[in-house]
Amino acid sequence: MTAISQGLKGDVQFRNITLPESRENGIILDSDLTIIATPVYGERIPHFLHDFFQGIKGNGNQLVAISVYGNMGFGISLEQFKEF
């Protein structure tokens, strides 16, 4: 994410949602652009993150989804992001 953010103009903020306690209060997005990167497990967004993403309030702002995977295809993860 750091490499991606270097090409962006403006203020960049990072939020690590890896640990469960970092996802307890949900997220309301108030930025012009949000980039979410997630691993792909079994060709899908991990269930615990899928549920969390459903609760994000984006207020119509743009979202870029990045699926990170190894040794397999991205499966339906991008279709799942499209639902958000």
Side-chain angles (χ1 to χ4, degrees):
M1 292 300 296
T2 303
I4 293 171
S5 68
Q6 290 173 350
L8 300 174
K9 294 183 176 152
D11 295 327
V12 176
Q13 298 175 10
F14 291 93
R15 180 160 181 184
N16 186 340
I17 57 171
T18 303
L19 299 175
E21 55 268 15
S22 65
R23 299 187 303 269
E24 289 177 355
N25 297 323
I27 296 177
I28 298 176
L29 303 174
D30 60 357
S31 59
D32 295 330
L33 173 67
T34 299
I35 300 172
I36 295 177
T38 181
V40 175
Y41 297 157
E43 298 187 357
R44 298 177 183 274
I45 295 170
H47 186 68
F48 65 94
L49 288 177
H50 186 274
D51 294 344
F52 175 72
F53 292 155
Q54 289 284 11
I56 292 176
K57 305 291 185 236
N59 301 320
N61 295 334
Q62 294 182 351
L63 172 69
V64 174
I66 300 173
S67 294
V68 182
Y69 56 94
N71 292 332
M72 67 181 333
F74 55 82
I76 67 165
S77 63
L78 298 180
E79 286 298 319
Q80 289 178 300
F81 273 120
K82 186 177 175 182
E83 292 175 12
F84 301 133

